[in-house]
């Protein structure tokens, strides 16, 4: 690995994880397109969609663990929700990650673009209140629906090496009606649980490039807690719109790639 590629990976890992920690995602929504397009744009090398998905699985695991640790004393972690959706996504992401080994790069990109499109549409639905004052575990939601959606998100997001947090957040906000700050903190913890399945699936399929993946993981471990701290100080409505903007921009860029524009 050249020093130019090392510096590029370090920058992508850190910047993407700061943003991810702020809005409650694992980082693949930011880093997948950056890893796919930025290295060739800078002339330092290029990665295939399968390689990017494998590296993303390691990065998401480390970033979500670091960010969840930063939120551990925040009072916003909904333990029952984390268990219901996390375990369902864990199973789904393992299956999806291993299945991706048999798909072409175009299929991987189409799956990613479809997920981002679904997330964008859900973000336009009215959500619950931004803040929550009271016992977080008292927030109610339909548990069978949460588990079913978790398994579905895990299955498809495992294909692209993501734990699905970029789709999970819109579901928490627009479908399950979880308050924004509780959704952000709980989403990160759910993402960590789910990312275990995606990582193991990519590892078993031999799609992890360990050198670049470890550089991204180290940068994520530093950037994600910083993003989580910044997110706790920002207005919750701004965080929700920042997430919507990230998802929409990524969705547009991936579709452009799919259609060869």
């Amino acid at each position: 690995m050249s020093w130019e590629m090392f510096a590029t990976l370090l920058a992508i890992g850190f910047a993407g994880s700061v943003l991810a920690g702020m809005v409650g995602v694992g980082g693949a929504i930011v880093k997948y397109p950056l890893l796919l397009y930025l290295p060739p744009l800078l002339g330092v090398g290029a990665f295939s969609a399968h390689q990017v998905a494998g590296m993303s699985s390691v990065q998401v695991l480390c970033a979500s663990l670091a960010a969840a640790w930063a939120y551990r004393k925040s009072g916003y972690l909904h333990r029952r929700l984390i268990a219901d959706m996390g375990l369902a996504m864990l199973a789904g992401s393992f299956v999806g990650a291993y299945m991706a080994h048999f798909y072409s790069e175009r299929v991987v990109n189409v799956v990613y673009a479809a997920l981002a499109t679904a997330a964008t549409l859900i973000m336009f639905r009215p959500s619950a209140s931004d803040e929550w004052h009271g016992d977080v575990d008292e927030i109610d939601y339909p548990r069978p629906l949460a588990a079913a959606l978790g398994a579905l998100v895990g299955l498809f997001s495992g294909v692209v090496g993501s734990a699905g947090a970029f789709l999970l957040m819109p579901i928490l906000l627009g479908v399950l009606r979880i308050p924004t700050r509780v959704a952000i903190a709980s989403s990160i913890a759910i993402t960590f649980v789910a990312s275990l399945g995606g990582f193991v699936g990519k590892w078993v399929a031999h799609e992890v490039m360990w050198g670049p993946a470890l550089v991204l993981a180290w940068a994520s471990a530093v950037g994600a807690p910083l993003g989580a701290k910044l997110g706790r100080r920002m207005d919750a409505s701004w965080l929700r719109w920042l997430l919507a903007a990230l998802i929409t921009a990524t969705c547009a860029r991936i579709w452009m790639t799919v259609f060869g524009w």
Side-chain angles (χ1 to χ4, degrees), residues 233-245:
R233 298 175 183 176
M234 293 177 64
D235 183 86
S237 62
W238 281 99
L239 293 173
R240 183 155 38 87
W241 285 112
L242 176 59
L243 175 63

Side-chain angles (χ1 to χ4, degrees), residues 172-190:
L172 291 175
L173 294 171
V175 179
L176 299 182
R177 316 285 293 172
I178 305 296
T180 301
R181 292 203 181 276
V182 177
I184 289 174
S186 300
S187 172
I188 290 174
I190 293 169

